[in-house]
């Protein structure tokens, strides 16, 4: 017999199967010896009180044996000779679109401007050590997209957009731990995700799909408002009437191309700010109300939102036990982001602290039309590069100094490997952003006493939170509102905000695309 229970226990009990079994037996009146197995379905931590508790949803097996059944992958058919769909971009949207194409009987041809997930590491090393930015292979571009080497967070609020559990189960099938099905805020880790991405690629190729690396798309061939093909940087032209455009939030050349060809795009608000690093020990002390974190608790995250003079200021992509990485996609700019390994065992914690931008903030850039937000973003990144010494060093300021408007007389070492340059953030950002940061951090400190400290360092800028452009599409067909056969997809098109939502959107676009193919064939 199986029973489902929700229970709240101490972190130690949650971590110890024997103690958990005793707790379930006592609280639910089930004889201890009759409980054959306890399966944890969901787990979350409640740290709102000094006495920290763990919330568990359990499946309890009473006088019944438990058999662990692996989560299977779908039966992917061989699509070697099936109708082709070109997918531009091998991030989560592109890869999951490709898998769904195969599942539904079409052949994906994936064009990725960057390198495969392993080879890509050399370019990440070059940007960290030598300050060399490869425009086609970096933290944003390459197999797996921006998420692969920037943490692998799987938490999403986009449950109305599609089946989150389906995507999580597919990731488990390709090698992720099944704990991502359990945790309230699942996370794979930057050290684990590359292997999963490689397994997805191998499946795509094994079942007859095609993935071409170092294949940067430089033109879209359009005739009579119908997509007719794509042109690559090396001059290759691929004829196709179906293109899923999944290039990510940093593919500025694609946005420029669409604008140049008078293919409709729209300016989209996004958020921008700094990435702040504290010691993980301090965050644990604040969040867990302790001197030393219990060995039964994970490194603590935090989430904070404030309204500052009518603007939202909030934490973004918080990385407990993580590091800050250089995420520029072109020479002459600096960009920050954060990531954590699977164990989240680094001594530092970092988070983007970003400010909500509005369309009126881009008025000075109106001459760029729908690219006004992108040029606003780009100018800050280029200014930061110049201020920090025209390398991949970033402008930095101790947090208390930022609030007080003082250039830091010295800077501690942080996890950001290329290095720091002491700069007053007032020189990096427009005045309204700088003032919002100053006021907001003081407000943060009231909610998290101890947060505002000069032991914490702000790194600038955190600017690639989401796409500054939306590529409009029909709500039903998901085709571009102007170009038949073109399916704007994922983060870059403005329809997703992370690995899971991008993967869901990739699947939706593949389904919509295949539906039109089947209509033609019928």
């Amino acid at each position: 017999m199986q029973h489902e229970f929700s229970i709240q226990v101490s972190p130690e009990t949650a971590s110890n199967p024997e103690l958990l079994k005793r707790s379930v037996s006592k609280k639910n009146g089930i004889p201890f010896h009759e409980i054959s197995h306890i399966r944890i379905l969901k787990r979350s931590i409640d740290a709102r009180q000094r006495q920290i508790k763990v919330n568990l949803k359990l499946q309890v097996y009473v006088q019944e044996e438990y058999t662990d059944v692996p989560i299977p992958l779908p039966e992917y058919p061989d699509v070697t000779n099936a109708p082709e769909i070109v997918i531009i971009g091998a991030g989560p949207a592109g890869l999951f679109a490709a898998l769904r194409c195969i599942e539904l009987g079409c052949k994906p041809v994936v064009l990725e401007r960057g390198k495969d997930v392993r080879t890509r590491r050399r370019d990440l090393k070059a940007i960290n050590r030598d300050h060399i930015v490869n425009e086609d292979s970096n933290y944003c571009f390459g197999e797996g997209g921006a998420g692969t080497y920037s943490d692998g967070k799987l938490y999403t609020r986009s449950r109305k957009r599609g089946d989150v559990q389906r995507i999580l189960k597919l990731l488990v099938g390709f090698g992720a731990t099944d704990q991502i099905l359990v945790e309230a805020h699942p996370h794979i880790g930057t050290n684990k995700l590359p292997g999963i991405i490689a397994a997805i690629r191998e499946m795509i190729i094994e079942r007859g799909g095609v993935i071409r690396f170092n294949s940067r798309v430089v033109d879209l061939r359009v005739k009579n408002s119908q997509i007719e093909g794509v042109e690559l940087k090396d001059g290759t032209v691929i004829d196709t009437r179906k293109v899923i455009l999944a290039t990510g939030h940093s593919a500025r050349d694609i946005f420029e191309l669409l604008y140049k060809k008078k293919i409709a795009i729209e300016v989209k608000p996004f958020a921008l700010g700094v990435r702040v690093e504290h010691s993980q020990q301090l965050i644990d002390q604040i969040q867990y109300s302790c001197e030393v974190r219990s060995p039964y608790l994970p490194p603590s995250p935090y989430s904070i939102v404030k309204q500052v003079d009518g603007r939202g200021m909030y934490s973004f992509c918080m990385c407990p036990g993580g590091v800050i990485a250089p995420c520029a996609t072109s020479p002459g700019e600096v960009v920050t982001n954060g990531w954590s390994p699977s164990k989240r065992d680094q001594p530092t914690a970092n988070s983007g602290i970003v400010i909500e931008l509005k369309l009126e903030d881009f008025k000075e850039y109106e001459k760029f039309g729908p690219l006004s937000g992108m040029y606003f973003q780009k100018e800050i990144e280029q200014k930061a590069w110049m201020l920090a010494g025209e390398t991949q060093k970033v402008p930095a300021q101790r947090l208390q100094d930022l609030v007080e408007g003082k250039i830091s007389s010295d800077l501690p070492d942080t996890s950001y490997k290329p290095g720091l340059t002491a700069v007053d953030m007032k020189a990096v950002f427009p005045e309204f952003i700088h003032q919002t940061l100053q006021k907001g951090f003081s407000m943060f400190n009231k909610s998290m006493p101890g947060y505002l400290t000069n032991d914490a360092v702000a790194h600038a800028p955190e600017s690639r939170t989401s796409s500054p452009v939306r590529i409009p599409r029909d709500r039903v067909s998901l085709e571009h509102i102007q170009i038949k056969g073109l399916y704007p997809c994922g983060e870059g098109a403005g329809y997703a905000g992370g690995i899971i939502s991008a993967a869901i959107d990739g699947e939706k676009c593949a389904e919509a695309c295949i539906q039109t193919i089947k209509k033609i064939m019928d």
Side-chain angles (χ1 to χ4, degrees), residues 7 9 11 13-16 20 39-46 53-58 177-186 296 298:
I7 190 172
V9 296
T13 298
S15 302
N16 187 310
L20 181 58
R39 180 178 169 220
I40 299 176
L41 301 177
K42 287 294 177 185
R43 175 170 43 225
S44 64
I45 295 173
D46 185 348
K53 296 292 184 180
V54 178
N55 298 315
L56 298 173
K57 183 179 179 182
L58 306 173
T177 170
D178 61 6
Q179 291 305 294
I180 66 174
L181 302 172
V182 172
E183 299 295 342
H185 291 79
Y296 304 108

Side-chain angles (χ1 to χ4, degrees), residues 440-460:
F441 282 126
S442 295
M443 295 168 69
F444 276 27
N445 199 59
K446 292 178 181 178
S447 297
M448 294 178 62
Y451 186 94
L452 182 55
T453 168
N454 251 2
D455 289 333
V457 179
H459 306 62

Side-chain angles (χ1 to χ4, degrees), residues 251-252 254-260 265-268 362 365-378 468-469:
R252 289 172 172 165
I254 293 296
F255 302 149
E256 295 272 16
L257 172 66
L258 296 174
Y259 185 47
K260 180 182 176 182
I265 57 175
E266 303 167 352
V267 62
K268 184 178 78 63
F362 310 142
Y365 303 84
E366 283 180 337
K367 65 181 179 181
F368 298 109
L371 301 179
S372 58
M374 188 187 85
Y375 275 90
F376 175 95
Q377 178 191 62
K378 188 175 182 179
V469 165

